[in-house]
Amino acid sequence: MEKVFPLRNALENVNRALRLIRVINFNSGRLLGPLSVEISLTSACNFNCYFCSSHSLLRGDRPPSESLSDSTIFELLEDIRLLKIPEIRFSGDGEPFIHNRFPEIIDMCKGRKIKIVTNGSRLNLVTTDLFSKIHKLTISLNSIDNETHRLIHGYKGPTQLPFIIENIERLLRPPQARRKLQINCAVGIYNLGELESLFQLSNRWNVFFAVHPVEAVIPGLESKILTPAQMRDARDRIAKMLREMSLSPNAAASLKYALFCFQSDEPYSQQKHLLPCYAGFYGAYLTANGDYRICCYCKSAMGNINVQRFAELWKDSEVQKTLYTASFMHQSNIAACTQCASCPEVLMYSRIFHKIFSKIIHRRPFSDIDAENIRMPKQGTLNDY
């Protein structure tokens, strides 16, 4: 039986899917931008998490840090408003709270849903007022053991775990805070033994923990990711906790999510046939040097916002052709980038959306994109994979 990816916040996800359909299929003149924009304000980070593709100590070629200029940021925020993009996610290759104008930038994003991914080292900067402006705050917490936390996150000096835990519990005090907080945890050989403790903490806090296996995104990680036997063991332990623990709503959702992520014997194993990817319509990924990419896994840039305004790039026919080509990889079996065959985002989110979108009548021809290279499907003819 096929395992179903567990969706949270059903109404919000339905609304996002409807918006995504409008962007793809009913967007004459490209007046609507993608559903979200992920912005890396800076590539600087004060942690060196061993599994990080940018800052891992396993990398010997770490480039110098870069940051978007004030003028580029202001133009980008104006384009986001003009394209009616509802969500902004501050994440990327660096720690967003390192940017010295970050609170001011958040103030400039009024009317948008603000999502932030942080390593938690500067949670003291998240005041009650700032937290009220954030739609979702995701904190990377990959261990709840002092020494293991320092080992995984790759920083020197005393452990920062007590400081991070204290600030998370401070943020949980206001009403409805649990709707805003999420904990991300990547599991490898260092923290595999903490599975039960992590989900017990999720249960105590009633906070969603997105627990998933570490990906081998850089050379040298092969010996630190889970073996097939360890994946099976983790899956059995997660299933046992689901059966036997008395669970809060968010802890139950966390375990179901983890069970899905650990369902393969190898994390995010190579797909035999490429799946359709809607990442470019779902979001634009903007790096700290201004590159505009389909997603965080793709290394090829479609343009640069230091050279050309984002709104102009979004409307460019070559950019749109790239996005539509990626959405038809299941027909062409030609990858949009080198990561497409094992991308976890495609396996999870695009797969669900495709099952809906493939059944919709496409009302508008895409002759202005490239009719010879983009073949829109007839209703009901897409392969159900």
Side-chain angles (χ1 to χ4, degrees), residues 121-176:
S121 63
R122 300 199 173 188
L123 284 179
N124 58 306
L125 299 178
V126 185
T127 63
T128 301
D129 178 62
L130 185 65
F131 194 40
S132 68
K133 300 170 185 175
I134 297 172
H135 180 75
K136 187 174 184 180
L137 180 65
T138 299
I139 302 163
S140 297
L141 182 66
N142 298 290
S143 175
I144 51 176
D145 175 83
N146 285 331
E147 291 308 311
T148 307
H149 184 273
R150 183 169 58 175
L151 172 66
I152 290 176
H153 289 275
Y155 57 85
K156 297 180 180 179
T159 179
Q160 296 194 32
L161 180 61
F163 167 84
I164 294 171
I165 295 292
E166 178 185 350
N167 275 281
I168 291 174
E169 293 182 337
R170 171 181 64 84
L171 292 172
L172 283 172
R173 291 171 193 160
Q176 309 301 321

Side-chain angles (χ1 to χ4, degrees), residues 34-40 42-43 52-55 59 63-64 66 68 76 85 89 91-94 217-218 277-306 308-310 313-314 318-320 322-324 326 336-340 343 345:
L35 177 66
S36 67
V37 171
E38 181 169 349
I39 306 171
S40 183
T42 178
S43 62
C52 177
S53 60
S54 300
H55 298 282
R59 285 192 55 158
E66 298 178 278
L68 294 175
L76 174 59
I85 299 171
R89 188 171 188 253
S91 179
D93 295 332
V217 294
I218 56 173
C277 175
Y278 298 93
F281 298 107
Y282 176 85
Y285 183 76
L286 304 172
T287 68
N289 70 356
D291 280 350
Y292 169 26
R293 303 175 184 173
I294 288 181
C295 71
C296 62
Y297 296 96
C298 185
K299 302 304 180 186
S300 301
M302 299 182 289
N304 190 289
I305 59 173
N306 291 319
Q308 191 174 3
R309 293 280 293 259
F310 174 71
L313 286 169
W314 168 255
E318 287 302 311
V319 169
Q320 289 288 316
T322 300
L323 304 186
Y324 281 106
C337 74
T338 57
Q339 300 297 318
C340 287
C343 178
E345 300 298 322

Side-chain angles (χ1 to χ4, degrees), residues 61-84:
D61 59 342
R62 285 180 290 168
S65 298
E66 298 178 278
S67 298
L68 294 175
S69 68
D70 288 351
S71 60
T72 297
I73 293 171
F74 298 151
E75 288 178 348
L76 174 59
L77 294 179
E78 175 64 14
D79 286 345
I80 288 172
R81 186 187 66 80
L82 291 173
L83 292 171
K84 299 180 174 62

Side-chain angles (χ1 to χ4, degrees), residues 77-330:
L77 294 179
E78 175 64 14
D79 286 345
I80 288 172
R81 186 187 66 80
L82 291 173
L83 292 171
K84 299 180 174 62
I85 299 171
E87 300 176 5
I88 303 175
R89 188 171 188 253
F90 292 103
S91 179
D93 295 332
E95 168 55 45
F97 283 101
I98 286 180
H99 195 284
N100 58 8
R101 301 190 69 176
F102 191 38
E104 179 186 349
I105 291 169
I106 292 175
D107 280 337
M108 297 174 63
C109 299
K110 291 179 180 178
R112 316 267 88 84
K113 290 182 178 178
I114 305 303
K115 301 182 178 183
I116 301 171
V117 179
T118 174
N119 61 29
S121 63
R122 300 199 173 188
L123 284 179
N124 58 306
L125 299 178
V126 185
T127 63
T128 301
D129 178 62
L130 185 65
F131 194 40
S132 68
K133 300 170 185 175
I134 297 172
H135 180 75
K136 187 174 184 180
L137 180 65
T138 299
I139 302 163
S140 297
L141 182 66
N142 298 290
S143 175
I144 51 176
D145 175 83
N146 285 331
E147 291 308 311
T148 307
H149 184 273
R150 183 169 58 175
L151 172 66
I152 290 176
H153 289 275
Y155 57 85
K156 297 180 180 179
T159 179
Q160 296 194 32
L161 180 61
F163 167 84
I164 294 171
I165 295 292
E166 178 185 350
N167 275 281
I168 291 174
E169 293 182 337
R170 171 181 64 84
L171 292 172
L172 283 172
R173 291 171 193 160
Q176 309 301 321
R178 284 162 180 81
R179 293 185 177 182
K180 293 188 173 189
L181 274 179
Q182 174 176 312
I183 304 298
N184 278 3
C185 181
V187 176
I189 61 170
Y190 297 128
N191 57 351
L192 178 59
E194 296 185 57
L195 270 182
E196 285 80 4
S197 298
L198 287 164
F199 287 113
Q200 287 167 4
L201 185 58
S202 169
N203 195 36
R204 179 161 66 86
W205 283 347
N206 189 19
V207 169
F208 180 74
F209 277 43
V211 179
H212 56 88
V214 169
E215 305 167 54
V217 294
I218 56 173
L221 273 183
E222 294 80 8
S223 63
K224 295 175 173 56
I225 65 173
L226 302 183
T227 65
Q230 289 171 324
M231 288 285 287
R232 290 192 293 271
D233 174 68
R235 186 166 64 245
D236 291 343
R237 290 160 62 188
I238 293 165
K240 182 179 179 182
M241 284 184 274
L242 259 175
R243 290 193 307 268
E244 298 180 358
M245 286 179 64
S246 178
L247 298 168
S248 65
N250 279 314
S254 301
L255 283 161
K256 291 176 183 176
Y257 174 90
L259 193 62
F260 178 90
C261 292
F262 285 84
Q263 67 180 307
S264 173
D265 286 343
E266 296 182 15
Y268 310 126
S269 54
Q270 189 98 348
Q271 300 298 308
K272 294 180 180 179
H273 192 86
L274 291 173
L275 306 179
C277 175
Y278 298 93
F281 298 107
Y282 176 85
Y285 183 76
L286 304 172
T287 68
N289 70 356
D291 280 350
Y292 169 26
R293 303 175 184 173
I294 288 181
C295 71
C296 62
Y297 296 96
C298 185
K299 302 304 180 186
S300 301
M302 299 182 289
N304 190 289
I305 59 173
N306 291 319
V307 178
Q308 191 174 3
R309 293 280 293 259
F310 174 71
E312 296 174 357
L313 286 169
W314 168 255
K315 296 178 181 180
D316 183 83
S317 60
E318 287 302 311
V319 169
Q320 289 288 316
K321 177 181 174 181
T322 300
L323 304 186
Y324 281 106
T325 299
S327 70
F328 283 87
M329 288 192 299
H330 62 296

